[in-house]
Amino acid sequence: MSAGDAQRVWFPEMIEDLRSRWREDMSFDAIVELREGLDAMLQGIRSERHIPPPVVKCPQCGRVGEGDAPHVSVRAMILSLLRFGIAAAGPTYALEKRWAAYRKENSLDLYGKGLASTTTGPAPCTHRQHR
């Protein structure tokens, strides 16, 4: 495993896949489908290369340990279009704003899925017994 891979989300093969599949006229359903494919690719890469989750410190209890495995959100995918030179800034930022409005209007989570339930505040810490 290369240094930094535990925190890494965008691997070269994912960027190439995004570059080859991206179209400016994609519907939000197609964008969510593309995100799902990229996220599956990320999980496969991490599994095949035996890359562990990143080490994090719990902000509630202070426990240091493995965090959740990273995932590709729709917004991260949209902003990666600019980051990797796939799309120009103007259309990318406009798409980001349209996505935010669409997401709010349709009660979608970061990944383009329907929200199961609404919670207020941070989730309770489940690490306390491990301190």
Side-chain angles (χ1 to χ4, degrees):
M1 172 177 73
S2 298
D5 276 355
Q7 290 84 13
R8 185 178 215 169
V9 174
W10 293 99
F11 290 87
E13 51 268 57
M14 293 172 62
I15 298 165
E16 283 309 309
D17 191 56
L18 177 60
R19 190 178 308 279
S20 69
R21 295 176 55 197
W22 177 252
R23 302 289 174 264
E24 284 191 25
D25 61 348
M26 292 176 87
S27 67
F28 283 124
D29 287 339
I31 289 172
V32 169
E33 187 176 314
L34 176 56
R35 184 224 63 89
E36 288 171 356
L38 291 168
D39 191 61
M41 186 180 285
L42 171 64
Q43 301 316 314
I45 290 168
R46 294 180 68 81
S47 176
E48 291 165 9
R49 298 180 188 173
H50 306 288
I51 301 171
V55 175
V56 297
K57 180 178 179 181
C58 177
Q60 294 176 341
C61 72
R63 179 179 177 268
V64 176
E66 287 187 349
D68 293 334
H71 290 276
V72 177
S73 69
V74 174
R75 183 172 183 260
M77 186 186 75
I78 290 169
L79 294 175
S80 72
L81 297 170
L82 182 60
R83 177 181 176 189
F84 300 117
I86 298 168
T92 301
Y93 291 131
L95 177 60
E96 179 191 17
K97 286 181 182 180
R98 287 195 317 274
W99 166 251
Y102 180 84
R103 181 180 163 222
K104 183 176 181 180
E105 179 181 309
N106 293 284
S107 300
L108 302 175
D109 66 9
L110 298 172
Y111 309 105
K113 303 292 183 189
L115 292 172
S117 65
T118 322
T119 59
T120 57
C125 176
T126 60
H127 307 297
R128 293 201 189 273
Q129 67 274 15
H130 302 291
R131 273 180 105 174

